[in-house]
Structure formats: C-alpha cells, structure tokens
Amino acid sequence: MWLKAEKTSKSSIAKYQESLLHACPRHIVIDGLFDDIKLDEVMLALKNAGQWQTQKHSYSTLYVDNDQWENTPEDQRFVQRDIWIRETDSPDKIVAQEFLDFLRSDEFLLLLSQIFDVALTDINVSNPNINTNYFRLGAEDFVEQHADDSPGREVCMLLYLNKNWNSNAGGELGFLGNEAEPIKIAPLFNRFVLFDPSSKGSEHWVEQLNSDYSRQYRYNVTSWYWSE
C-alpha cells in the first residue's frame, strides 16, 4: 500500500547494503520509495495550519519553553521548527496518522533491519510514537549542527514531502561527512534518507531557507529506530 515493490526487492536491498559500505557517513538516499498518490493525501492533511506547534531545543535542554528560550544564548539554540500535533480525530488527518503508524509497523521495521543488517524493535521503547512525526521549517526556523547518536539508536530516517522544490530555496540536509567534503541533500518530494547516527561524519544540520521563499515551508517526516 505505502511502498513501491520495485524499490524493496531483494536486488534493491542488496544495492542499498552495498552503498552503505562505502558511504561516509553510512547513509543512503532512495528516491520514490513510497506511493506518490498516498503521499499527496498526506500532504493535504499537513496543510492545516492549526495542526502545528513550535518546538525548540537547546544543546543542553530539549523541549525548551519560551522563558527558557529567551535566556538561552543564540549559539546554544540548535532547533526551532514546527511539529505536527498527532492527536486528532479529524477525518482528513487519518491518512497522515496511518502513515506514521506504518513507519513503526513490523513490515517497515523489517525493511530497515534488512538494509542495515541489525534487528530493530520497539519492544524496549517506552513511547515509540514520539520517535516518528512530521516537521516543517519556515524561513525563520533552523536546525543547527548536531548528532543523533543516542545509546541503542541504530537508524535515523528522513522523508521529504516538498513538491516542485526550488533549488534556490535552501533547506538542504547537510552531513559533516569526511569534513573535507560535506554532503548536501536537497529536500525533494518522496526523497528518503537513512543514516547510521553513530557512523563517522553523521553530524548534520539543515541549511536555512532563503528569505525570498518566506511563504514556503519545508516539510519532512523524521523517525528514529533502536536495536534490541
């Protein structure tokens, strides 16, 4: 329903595995993994402005409130973005919630486990749902360089939902890579990025959006996965 069969065949998985062996950081980019029509339905749900709230993180404290934020030096602020409010009974939001549920399903966990050759599971994750959600960035928002290498976290996933993205708009995902050659990945629609957060060069950030596109949002799904 959600995945394209030709992108999840044994031969395709073997190619993903081979690509991981030579990448710094260990990452792969897969274009067109998901059904485009279903993702279009998801995007319709995400266009509702009332379903978003601002999220802020500092390097020392996650989920900073406004008072804390005002007292946090600018060089210690590393995330300001909007997060989708998951709890909703609105009919047009059902497909967006169904997709988030699929991204933590046994079927999808198995696919990621095969690609990375590690057994991923939510058995020991107290609240799996908080590890998978939609985010959006506007021209005033930012995600500065940081690492996602929490203990036991094996795979980080990003899926971009930006149709007709202008190459001048900014918003590229950046990886430190081998430092001499940072990696930049444009946030194109149905572009899927997986990476090992403990691998060399996996520190990452998002290039700020160009102010000329101040009425535009950059949408993505982010998800984190753990081993047993």
Side-chain angles (χ1 to χ4, degrees), residues 40-170:
D40 283 339
E41 294 176 12
V42 169
M43 281 307 303
L44 287 175
L46 300 186
K47 295 298 184 179
N48 185 342
Q51 286 298 125
W52 297 92
Q53 64 184 21
T54 301
Q55 181 186 73
K56 299 174 181 177
H57 297 323
S58 71
Y59 285 111
S60 61
T61 307
L62 300 181
Y63 307 107
V64 176
D65 63 29
N66 288 332
D67 288 339
Q68 291 173 305
W69 191 251
E70 290 301 319
N71 291 312
T72 300
E74 288 193 11
D75 64 353
Q76 291 302 304
R77 301 173 179 179
F78 87 90
V79 167
Q80 176 179 294
R81 62 186 174 187
D82 290 341
I83 184 171
W84 193 67
I85 303 171
R86 291 180 61 114
E87 294 76 14
T88 179
D89 56 4
S90 176
D92 63 345
K93 307 301 186 301
I94 291 175
V95 67
Q97 183 62 59
E98 287 177 344
F99 185 48
L100 296 182
D101 293 340
F102 173 74
L103 294 176
R104 299 216 78 84
S105 68
D106 290 342
E107 176 186 352
F108 195 68
L109 284 171
L110 177 60
L111 173 64
L112 301 186
S113 297
Q114 291 172 330
I115 292 173
F116 281 84
D117 193 24
V118 62
L120 301 175
T121 177
D122 278 339
I123 292 176
N124 300 317
V125 180
S126 59
N127 187 357
N129 285 344
I130 67 171
N131 294 296
T132 304
N133 211 337
Y134 303 102
F135 296 91
R136 70 177 188 181
L137 274 75
E140 300 300 318
D141 297 323
F142 52 86
V143 177
E144 303 291 355
Q145 185 173 317
H146 66 286
D148 278 352
D149 55 342
S150 298
R153 186 183 281 175
E154 301 280 357
V155 177
C156 294
M157 182 215 96
L158 297 155
L159 172 68
Y160 297 106
L161 300 170
N162 308 295
K163 274 203 163 178
N164 304 314
W165 188 255
N166 191 302
S167 61
N168 296 317

Side-chain angles (χ1 to χ4, degrees), residues 2-3 7-8 13 16 27-35 39 99 102-103 108-109 111-113 115-116 120 132 155-162 173 175 185-195 219-225:
W2 288 103
L3 297 169
K7 297 286 186 175
T8 58
I13 291 172
Y16 305 150
H27 76 286
I28 54 173
V29 179
I30 307 172
D31 287 322
L33 176 67
F34 296 95
D35 183 273
L39 291 187
F99 185 48
F102 173 74
L103 294 176
F108 195 68
L109 284 171
L111 173 64
L112 301 186
S113 297
I115 292 173
F116 281 84
L120 301 175
T132 304
V155 177
C156 294
M157 182 215 96
L158 297 155
L159 172 68
Y160 297 106
L161 300 170
N162 308 295
L173 170 68
F175 281 116
I185 301 171
L188 305 182
F189 184 77
N190 205 355
R191 171 164 284 179
F192 183 63
V193 181
L194 294 171
F195 68 95
Y219 293 90
N220 73 278
V221 184
T222 299
S223 196
W224 297 272
Y225 299 96

